């Protein structure tokens, strides 16, 4: 076993085009660190519907240039088999470590395979890449990003020509082509021949952002903005300036791209502490709202003044606010969300007489809903302009929520006032999440197995009226690894994360509200039930 491991590591080293990872692997071989070598060569990073995502480093179980070149070659072979022999592939990238290298390697591989490649001019938000695919008539797009993962990670997200992320069976088809590559020596990689795009694509995207706002709408809300050390700042500021909003006040410490994300433990607005600097700035500036993007700016977080301090709105709350805003503006078309998001969207759509769809988790599914007008996911992802970007877009979502805050401000109301009105109209929909980050993925598999073999009969004293194992699929959903429990007045979904080593549990409690005066009691009741469900579910999963 040891000899085989060393043989494979040496073969990888001989092919590795990156001096940094070559030196890293040479050191591991020299030190004879069998444990670390085994971790690097235990298999290969699996290409799935999220593309690739993993820790940077040498070896097939890490993100590196060798892995990316193989992924690009597999994608090129897949596209050619689909008949796209000379189609255009657009490549975008964020400001993480190695992102520019991975983008350049992808362009070289596409060019070497006889396809045409165009690379965005610099690190830009993921939605600009999603927009560029359809704008340029490309057959596919690649975004090099790990979104809001830790600094040591990077990733590789693939879109097809419809501007949506890949779904089965395309992922398996691409994976099979990647597996078929015997050696990097078989992959032609010219030094030039691809196009580096100018700012015209970005300009076209920015011109499109204006379309999400109503003509003549109020544009008075003042914002504090953080880019979370990512690539959102310049594009968001340009979009806000075009729209005529007051210039956002920046959180200076997080404004510029920095792949080390020095001020946060995790560069995700949902993580504890990530918004602390933004809240400190807001306390000093007293704006109407705080807006945050994640590092690749496809997500948008919103915080509001509440009881003398600042509170982050949940993704479900922002999702409902944007839906109510679009309904009031007369939007037509289908409203869609993932199954882990709040059922309030369905109530809003039903009352407005609009079609409504539930999909599996991920914008790769939401974006494919026929006739989509608006889609959202509780993890701070919103698609408010599907005709322009068939993916979540943190820039246009920020514009739309700031327009809504402006209109409410003109009426002497706030986003919290509108949330109260929605609760009285449709019932209080309180959501929460329970997540377990693990070092060992077998812990997640064990918890899922336990819940399947011994499903809870009740949670928080509420009877479980229906248990669904989503691996079997439903009449509306394809199979996925997950469990859904329907309770009397509540819902629980448990699933392994597709992008992080986490088991995630999504909870919702619905409490009828007789009128505004009943809201405090309804909130207290919902909070108590959610807390008890968390406790009972943790025990049932054995965690």
């Amino acid at each position: 076993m040891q000899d085989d491991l060393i043989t494979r590591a040496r073969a990888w080293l001989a092919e590795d085009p990156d001096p940094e990872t070559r030196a890293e692997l040479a050191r591991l071989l020299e030190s004879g660190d069998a444990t670390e070598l085994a971790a690097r060569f235990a298999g290969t990073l699996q290409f799935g519907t999220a593309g690739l995502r993993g820790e940077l480093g040498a070896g097939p179980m890490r993100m590196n240039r060798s892995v990316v070149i193989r992924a690009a070659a597999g994608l090129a072979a897949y596209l050619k088999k689909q008949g796209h022999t000379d189609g255009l592939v657009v490549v975008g990238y964020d400001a993480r470590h190695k992102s520019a290298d991975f983008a350049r390697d992808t362009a070289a591989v596409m060019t070497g395979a006889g396809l045409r490649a165009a690379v965005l001019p610099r690190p830009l938000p993921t939605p600009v890449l999603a927009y560029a695919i359809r704008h340029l008539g490309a057959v596919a797009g690649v975004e090099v990003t790990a979104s809001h993962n830790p600094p040591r990670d990077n990733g590789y997200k693939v879109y097809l020509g419809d501007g949506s992320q890949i779904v089965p069976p395309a992922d398996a088809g691409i994976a099979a082509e990647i597996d078929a590559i015997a050696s990097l020596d078989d992959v032609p990689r010219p030094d030039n021949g691809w196009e580096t795009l100018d700012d015209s694509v970005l300009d076209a995207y920015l011109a499109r952002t204006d379309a999400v706002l109503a003509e003549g709408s109020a544009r008075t809300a003042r914002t504090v903005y953080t880019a979370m050390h990512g690539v959102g700042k310049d594009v968001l500021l340009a979009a806000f300036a075009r729209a005529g909003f007051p210039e956002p006040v920046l959180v200076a410490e997080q404004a510029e791209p920095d792949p080390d994300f020095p001020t946060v433990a995790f560069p995700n607005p949902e993580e504890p502490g990530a918004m602390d600097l933004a809240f400190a700035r807001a306390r000093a500036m007293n704006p109407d709202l705080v807006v945050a993007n994640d590092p690749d700016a496809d997500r948008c977080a919103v915080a509001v003044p509440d009881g003398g301090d600042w509170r982050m709105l949940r993704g479900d709350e922002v999702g409902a606010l944007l839906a109510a805003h679009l309904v009031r503006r007369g939007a037509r078309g289908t409203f869609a969300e993932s199954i882990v998001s709040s059922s309030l969207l369905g109530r809003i759509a039903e009352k407005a007489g609009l079609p409504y769809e539930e999909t599996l988790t991920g914008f790769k599914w939401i974006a494919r809903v026929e006739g989509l007008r608006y889609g959202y996911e509780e993890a701070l992802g919103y698609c408010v302009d599907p005709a322009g970007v068939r993916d979540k877009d943190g820039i246009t979502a920020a514009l739309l929520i700031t327009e809504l805050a402006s209109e409410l401000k003109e009426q002497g109301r706030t986003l919290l006032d509108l949330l109260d009105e929605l609760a009285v109209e449709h019932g209080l929909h309180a959501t929460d999440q329970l997540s377990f980050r693990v070092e060992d993925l077998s812990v997640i598999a064990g918890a899922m197995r336990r819940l399947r073999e011994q499903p809870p009969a009740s949670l928080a004293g509420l009877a479980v009226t229906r248990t669904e194992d989503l691996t079997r699929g439903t009449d509306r959903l394809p199979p996925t690894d997950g469990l859904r429990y329907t309770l009397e007045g509540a819902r629980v979904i448990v699933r392994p994360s597709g992008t992080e080593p986490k088991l995630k549990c999504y909870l919702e409690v619905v409490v009828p509200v007789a009128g505004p005066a009943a809201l405090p009691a309804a909130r207290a009741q919902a909070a108590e039930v959610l807390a008890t469900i968390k406790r009972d579910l943790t025990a049932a999963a054995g965690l």
Side-chain angles (χ1 to χ4, degrees):
M1 170 62 190
Q2 181 77 2
D3 289 347
D4 176 55
L5 189 61
I6 289 169
T7 302
R8 280 187 289 139
R10 284 185 174 146
W12 186 274
L13 178 63
E15 285 191 342
D16 191 339
D18 189 331
E20 285 184 41
T21 43
R22 269 208 315 274
E24 182 186 320
L25 188 49
R27 282 194 302 273
L28 287 174
L29 282 164
E30 197 177 320
S31 68
D33 188 340
T35 305
E36 187 61 26
L37 280 172
R40 307 296 184 96
F41 288 86
T44 57
L45 269 188
Q46 289 304 297
F47 187 93
T49 49
L52 292 167
R53 201 177 283 192
E55 189 176 341
L56 290 162
M61 287 295 289
R62 298 286 185 267
M63 281 297 294
N64 51 63
R65 290 183 60 199
S66 297
V67 164
V68 163
I69 289 164
R70 287 173 183 274
L75 174 59
Y78 173 83
L79 290 172
K80 289 168 80 172
K81 282 193 176 172
Q82 300 298 309
H84 303 303
T85 48
D86 64 346
L88 174 68
V89 178
V90 192
V91 185
Y93 58 103
D94 67 11
R96 284 178 177 264
H97 292 296
K98 296 288 182 185
S99 286
D101 295 338
F102 295 167
R104 188 171 54 250
D105 283 331
T106 300
V109 170
M110 295 301 161
T111 304
L115 293 153
R116 291 175 296 124
V119 184
L120 292 181
R122 59 185 169 281
L124 286 167
T126 293
V128 177
L129 180 276
Y131 170 81
I133 294 165
R134 295 167 77 197
H135 178 68
L136 297 173
V139 298
V142 170
E143 177 70 17
V144 180
T145 181
S147 190
H148 56 279
N149 275 40
R152 63 179 183 271
D153 290 1
N154 212 329
Y156 198 80
K157 190 185 285 192
V158 176
Y159 298 74
L160 292 182
D162 62 354
S164 302
Q165 297 173 48
I166 53 167
V167 293
D171 56 341
I174 296 166
E177 297 295 343
I178 294 170
D179 291 343
I181 294 155
S183 165
L184 287 194
D185 295 336
D186 302 334
V187 181
R189 300 198 308 280
D191 293 329
N192 53 48
W194 58 89
E195 180 186 2
T196 299
L197 295 165
D198 60 19
D199 274 356
S200 57
V201 169
L202 176 60
D203 292 342
Y205 167 82
L206 284 168
R208 178 89 209 173
T209 62
D210 299 352
V212 305
L213 303 174
E215 201 171 326
S217 63
R219 313 270 168 102
T220 54
R222 295 178 306 109
T223 54
V224 159
Y225 171 72
T226 175
M228 205 67 65
H229 298 295
V231 298
K233 181 197 73 172
D234 291 346
V235 179
L236 182 128
L237 289 181
F240 269 59
R242 287 181 65 102
F245 286 112
E247 184 177 352
V249 174
L250 299 177
V251 178
E253 303 94 325
Q254 298 174 334
E256 299 304 326
D258 187 331
D260 294 319
F261 304 105
T263 68
V264 290
F266 288 94
N268 177 355
E270 292 180 295
E271 292 282 350
M275 295 289 286
D276 287 357
L277 288 170
F279 290 163
R281 196 87 179 101
R283 290 180 195 113
M285 300 303 298
N286 197 31
D288 298 298
L289 70 166
V290 173
V291 172
N293 287 137
D294 67 338
D296 70 327
D298 63 351
R299 296 166 197 251
C300 175
V302 180
V304 293
D306 183 20
D309 206 355
W310 286 83
R311 170 167 89 80
M312 264 276 284
L313 295 180
R314 292 191 168 278
D316 284 319
E317 291 176 312
V318 176
L321 287 168
L322 291 175
H325 184 43
L326 289 169
V327 164
R328 198 191 55 73
R329 274 183 23 189
R332 309 308 299 165
T334 302
F335 279 29
E337 64 180 340
S338 62
I339 55 170
V340 300
S341 304
S342 170
S343 59
L344 177 55
L345 184 70
R347 306 267 181 104
I348 292 170
E350 183 183 20
K351 177 137 192 198
L354 295 175
Y356 164 76
E357 289 284 341
E358 263 191 335
T359 74
L360 292 184
T361 310
F363 262 83
K364 56 185 177 279
W365 299 108
I366 294 171
R368 284 183 159 72
V369 167
E370 198 170 326
L372 181 68
R373 174 59 186 87
Y374 169 64
Y376 98 90
E377 187 156 78
E378 53 71 45
L380 311 183
Y382 315 94
C383 175
V384 301
D385 177 26
V389 175
R390 295 195 79 79
D391 199 4
K392 55 187 178 289
D393 183 345
I395 306 295
T396 49
L399 286 171
L400 198 61
I401 197 72
T402 308
E403 177 187 59
L404 173 57
S406 299
E407 292 190 354
L408 292 168
K409 182 181 180 179
E410 299 298 297
Q411 300 161 14
R413 297 156 68 219
T414 67
L415 294 175
L416 292 180
D417 292 333
L418 180 51
L419 282 172
D420 286 351
E421 289 163 24
L422 291 171
V424 171
E425 187 175 1
H426 302 288
L428 177 70
H429 289 62
T431 57
D432 205 350
Q433 200 181 115
L434 182 63
S435 69
F436 303 94
R437 186 179 286 273
V438 301
E439 294 293 325
D440 179 2
L441 290 175
S442 69
V443 173
I444 292 176
M448 293 298 289
R449 186 173 61 250
R450 203 171 290 111
L451 288 168
R452 284 191 169 100
E453 290 170 357
Q454 299 171 295
S458 68
L459 293 167
L462 302 173
V464 175
T465 57
R466 188 177 183 195
T467 298
E468 295 169 276
D469 187 342
L470 299 176
T471 53
R472 301 190 179 106
T474 72
D475 55 346
R476 305 299 298 271
L477 299 169
T480 187
D481 186 8
L483 295 162
R484 177 161 61 181
Y485 304 111
T486 304
L487 296 85
E488 292 169 356
R491 181 213 68 198
V492 173
I493 292 173
V494 184
R495 60 179 280 272
S497 169
T499 55
E500 297 176 275
K502 279 182 175 181
L503 181 69
K504 301 179 99 169
C505 312
Y506 304 85
L507 323 175
E508 180 176 45
V509 173
V510 182
V511 181
V513 181
L519 272 169
R523 285 209 175 88
Q525 179 187 338
E528 187 179 337
V529 174
L530 286 169
T532 313
I533 289 176
K534 279 185 179 181
R535 186 194 67 208
D536 292 355
L537 190 61
T538 301
L543 293 166

